[in-house]
């Protein structure tokens, strides 16, 4: 179930690079097996050593709102019933250079601001063709 | 500082609101190119090169055949983004002409969004790949939405107020009131109108966002030597730059220097090559996709520190005729027409031929800065012959 946007709204095109991020139910970041460099979004090659073997590192899922916007104008007819909604950019507390986009599930659109402490939660979405996503989302830590 | 090549002709079609063009996009392109060559005093058949930037649909192959080009010697298009390539495209023509690959190169943009789809409309696709996989599923589906995120952080970090955004919009609308080509000619904007307009994506109100329009604009580039035999005073290219800081093109807001409009590196290279600095510029055109990114570009190009932006743009400082740096003197994307920024190239040239409707008296250095927040940035500096 999606709580902010409609069920038929855009989903990630899952590939071997982003599958762990969008389906595992954990915040798993791409880490170079050769030199340990973290890169997000995941890439096909390590930008530091050009290695092509990767592992994942798990974040605690605690973070801070780094930026946000409140969308009032629906950019597509599918979003007409969803506006206004907020989108946040979260900086991870344990990997502060990594920023992850999401929605805040336990606040209204006008209840988000820069600096809010948040923790990751997951929206489980099953598509008609049987694919299962666990989309990272956020809750304000009360 | 090279002055090896110059713009010798500028031209455009009539500009229309989106979907308002009565002719096809290809015919609009042909009209702008024909007018630019007429303005230069060149026969159309003497054009031997075409350059544009991403999303251009009217190929040099089709144009060369349709316009009766005697022989095509050069064609090219830039990578990346969209309107961030205007100045890059002119720089490619400059390089081609300077190297002798072609004699008279046209740089252009044409768009008719009634004939084709709107550029700014979200696709609403079932799946998003690449870095959009990390943003679109959360409802960041169009340019104002994605760029609002960068702008909000920039305003927060540097204490920039909503009125600084308003100033960009107000300057463009005010300058459009003097330009009969401008779509907003005759429809002034007040500060009250700005603040009362609806939110699109915070911090962008309606009037922070450029409209989508139909039309075409073109310039002709040749060598300074050939330019002497043509109709109009040549407008030499003093320097151009395009590029990026280290890993600045990483997606989904993870560039190491986030938020950036992609103009720090461009500014550094441009001033180094030109042998002048931002303080020497008499007039500037800044591509306004949205007002906030213009503020970012102004500071990254070195005109002021981000913390000084509120003051830099207020009190008429960016307005013609008395401002210290009049910007977007034809009305720009917001006020004249959104021809993916190419109208700002034409205006930068006109300022050095004393043909602007907001003419900066005796202007010697005229800057055009392409689309901010789309990578890579590009900018070009013209001078008086």
């Amino acid at each position: 179930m999606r709580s902010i946007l409609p069920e038929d709204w855009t989903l990630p095109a899952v590939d071997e690079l982003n599958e762990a991020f969008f389906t595992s139910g954990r915040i798993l970041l791409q880490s170079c097996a050769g030199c340990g460099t973290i890169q997000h979004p995941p890439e096909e090659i390590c930008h530091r050593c050009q290695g092509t073997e990767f592992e994942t590192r798990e974040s605690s899922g605690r973070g801070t709102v780094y930026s946000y916007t409140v969308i009032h104008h629906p950019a597509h007819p599918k979003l007409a019933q969803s506006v206004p909604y907020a989108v946040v950019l979260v900086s991870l507390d344990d990997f502060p250079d990594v920023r992850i986009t999401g929605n805040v599930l336990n606040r209204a659109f006008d209840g988000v601001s820069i600096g809010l402490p948040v923790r990751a939660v997951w929206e489980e979405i099953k598509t008609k063709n049987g694919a299962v996503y666990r989309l990272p989302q956020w809750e304000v830590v009360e | 500082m090279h002055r090896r090549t110059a713009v010798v002709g500028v031209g455009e079609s009539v500009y229309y609101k989106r979907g308002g063009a009565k002719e096809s996009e290809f015919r609009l392109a042909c009209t702008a190119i024909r007018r630019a060559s007429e303005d230069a005093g060149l026969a159309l058949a003497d054009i031997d090169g075409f350059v544009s930037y991403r999303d251009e649909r009217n190929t040099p192959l089709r144009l060369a055949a349709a316009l009766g080009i005697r022989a095509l010697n050069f064609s090219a298009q830039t990578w990346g983004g969209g309107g961030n390539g205007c100045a890059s495209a002119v720089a490619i023509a400059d390089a081609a002409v300077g190297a002798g690959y072609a004699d008279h190169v046209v740089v252009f943009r044409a768009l008719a969004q009634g004939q084709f789809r709107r550029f700014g409309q979200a696709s609403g696709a079932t799946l998003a790949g690449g870095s959009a996989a990390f943003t679109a599923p959360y409802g960041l589906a169009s340019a104002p939405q994605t760029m609002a995120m960068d702008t909000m952080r920039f305003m927060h970090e540097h204490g920039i107020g909503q009125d600084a955004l308003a100033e960009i919009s107000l300057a463009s609308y005010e300058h459009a009131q003097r330009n009969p080509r401008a779509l907003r000619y005759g429809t002034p904007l007040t500060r009250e109108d700005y603040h009362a307009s609806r939110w699109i994506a915070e911090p962008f109100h309606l009037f922070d966002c450029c409209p989508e329009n139909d039309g075409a604009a073109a310039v002709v580039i040749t060598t300074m030597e050939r330019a002497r035999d043509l109709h109009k005073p040549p407008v030499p290219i003093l320097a151009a730059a395009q590029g990026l800081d280290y890993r600045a093109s990483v997606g989904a807001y993870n560039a190491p220097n986030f938020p950036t409009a992609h103009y720090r590196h461009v500014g550094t290279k441009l001033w180094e090559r030109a042998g002048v600095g931002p303080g020497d510029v008499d007039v500037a055109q800044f591509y306004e996709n949205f007002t906030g990114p213009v503020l970012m570009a102004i500071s990254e190009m070195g005109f002021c520190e981000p913390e000084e932006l509120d003051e830099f743009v207020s009190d008429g400082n960016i307005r013609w005729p008395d401002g210290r740096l009049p910007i977007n003197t034809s009305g720009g994307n917001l006020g004249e027409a959104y021809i993916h920024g190419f109208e700002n190239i034409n205006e930068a040239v006109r300022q050095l031929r004393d043909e602007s409707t907001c003419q900066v008296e005796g202007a010697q250095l005229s800057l055009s800065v392409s689309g901010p927040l789309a990578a890579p940035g590009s900018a070009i500096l013209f001078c008086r012959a």
Side-chain angles (χ1 to χ4, degrees):
Chain A
M1 279 292 292
R2 304 182 84 165
S3 47
I4 302 284
L5 300 177
E7 289 301 321
D8 63 348
W9 183 244
T10 307
L11 284 166
V14 169
D15 57 31
E16 62 178 54
L17 295 172
N18 67 26
E19 184 177 9
F21 189 83
F22 290 122
T23 64
S24 68
R26 298 187 287 161
I27 301 288
L28 294 180
L29 304 173
Q30 186 191 44
S31 170
C32 175
C35 73
T37 296
I38 300 275
Q39 48 191 17
H40 183 84
E43 263 299 342
E44 294 199 38
I45 186 163
C46 170
H47 70 266
R48 183 150 168 261
C49 74
Q50 282 72 57
T52 54
E53 299 292 323
F54 294 101
E55 302 164 342
T56 54
R57 296 261 313 266
E58 183 168 8
S59 162
S60 68
R62 291 284 180 144
T64 306
V65 174
Y66 194 76
S67 190
Y68 72 98
T69 177
V70 179
I71 312 287
H72 293 262
H73 177 74
H76 190 277
K78 284 181 187 174
L79 298 171
Q81 305 306 313
S82 303
V83 289
Y85 61 91
V87 187
V88 294
L89 184 63
V90 172
S91 166
L92 295 176
D93 290 349
D94 44 5
F95 298 94
D97 293 339
V98 173
R99 291 181 282 268
I100 298 177
T101 303
N103 308 114
V104 174
L105 303 188
N106 66 342
R107 286 283 173 95
F109 72 91
D110 55 356
V112 298
S113 57
I114 291 173
L116 276 181
V118 292
R119 68 168 163 250
V121 293
W122 279 266
E123 260 183 347
E124 188 166 300
I125 301 163
K126 293 192 174 89
T127 67
K128 282 176 194 149
N129 58 13
V132 178
Y133 289 85
R134 291 178 185 85
L135 277 195
Q137 290 283 23
W138 303 92
E139 272 183 5
V140 174
V141 178
E142 304 291 351
Chain B
M1 191 182 294
H2 71 66
R3 300 173 194 258
R4 184 178 53 187
T5 73
V7 178
V8 291
V10 302
E12 58 264 307
S13 72
V14 172
Y15 294 148
Y16 304 91
K17 291 190 174 176
R18 173 175 57 84
K22 292 165 188 65
E23 20 177 14
S24 71
E25 185 175 274
F26 186 73
R27 282 189 181 165
L28 292 172
C30 291
T31 298
I33 293 167
R34 180 174 48 77
R35 288 183 179 161
S37 72
E38 282 170 4
D39 180 61
L42 273 171
L44 205 44
D46 290 335
I47 302 295
D48 64 346
F50 296 94
V51 183
S52 191
Y53 42 106
R54 198 179 109 164
D55 296 327
E56 180 56 52
R57 286 177 282 246
N58 304 286
T59 71
L61 309 178
R62 195 173 169 207
L63 287 166
L67 297 174
I69 300 305
R70 190 176 304 111
L72 181 67
N73 286 318
F74 187 82
S75 64
Q77 193 174 356
T78 60
W79 295 102
N84 51 319
C86 313
S88 284
V90 180
I92 289 171
D94 166 40
V97 167
Y101 299 145
D103 292 340
H104 306 106
V105 175
V106 158
V107 191
F108 73 103
R109 171 60 112 217
L111 66 165
Q113 297 175 92
Q115 185 184 359
F116 298 99
R117 66 176 280 271
R118 261 183 77 191
F119 276 93
Q121 175 78 56
S123 75
T126 310
L127 295 174
S131 63
F134 293 84
T135 54
Y138 300 102
L140 291 177
S142 67
Q145 300 177 348
T146 58
M147 293 183 175
M149 193 73 95
D150 304 72
T151 304
M152 190 72 91
R153 180 69 200 183
F154 182 75
M155 293 172 74
H156 173 83
E157 277 183 21
H158 303 293
I160 291 159
Q162 192 74 39
D163 264 314
L165 276 66
E167 289 293 346
I168 303 296
S169 188
L170 291 168
S172 292
Y173 269 78
E174 184 169 303
H175 298 154
Q177 302 316 307
R178 297 177 56 86
N179 176 4
R181 284 188 312 272
L183 290 170
R184 304 294 159 153
Y185 183 65
T187 50
L189 179 72
T190 67
R191 192 176 300 277
E192 293 67 35
D193 295 335
Y194 169 88
H195 285 292
S197 69
R198 63 194 169 93
W199 288 115
I200 299 298
E202 297 179 34
F204 299 147
H205 283 279
L206 176 66
F207 291 113
D208 291 303
C209 305
C210 86
E212 297 200 74
N213 300 135
D214 293 351
V219 297
V220 185
I221 314 283
T222 191
T223 60
M224 279 300 282
E225 200 182 339
R226 280 189 211 96
R228 289 184 226 292
D229 302 327
L230 299 175
H231 279 181
K232 292 283 180 76
V235 174
I237 293 168
L238 189 59
Q242 67 140 286
L244 284 176
D245 287 316
Y246 172 73
R247 281 176 58 73
S249 50
V250 170
Y253 308 116
N254 278 267
N257 57 354
F258 172 86
T260 175
H262 301 300
Y263 280 93
R264 289 193 198 101
H265 179 68
V266 167
T268 303
K269 298 307 283 186
L270 186 80
W271 306 129
E272 185 184 298
R273 288 170 189 164
V276 299
D280 299 315
V281 170
D282 299 299
V283 58
Q285 315 303 319
F286 282 89
Y287 182 117
E288 328 99 297
N289 35 18
F290 310 100
T291 56
V294 173
L295 296 172
M296 297 172 74
I298 289 172
S299 63
E300 291 183 9
M301 285 297 294
F303 287 94
C304 67
E305 293 301 318
E307 287 72 17
E308 297 165 339
L309 276 166
D310 275 355
E311 191 272 330
F312 188 87
V313 300
S314 65
D315 294 330
N317 284 332
I318 55 169
R319 297 199 207 178
W320 183 87
D322 297 323
R324 69 183 145 188
L325 182 72
I327 73 163
N328 302 355
T329 45
S330 71
N333 286 349
L334 292 173
E336 185 180 21
Y338 178 50
I339 311 302
H340 288 178
F342 211 79
E343 79 290 344
N344 279 334
I345 297 285
N346 284 17
E347 173 65 9
V349 171
R350 285 196 166 102
Q351 281 286 354
L352 296 170
R353 304 200 315 191
D354 298 325
E355 292 175 350
S356 172
T357 50
C358 290
Q359 181 60 45
V360 172
E361 204 178 328
Q364 299 295 313
L365 288 176
S366 177
L367 174 70
S368 186
V369 175
S370 308
L373 279 177
S378 71
I380 190 158
L381 186 62
F382 301 101
C383 61
R384 205 171 275 258

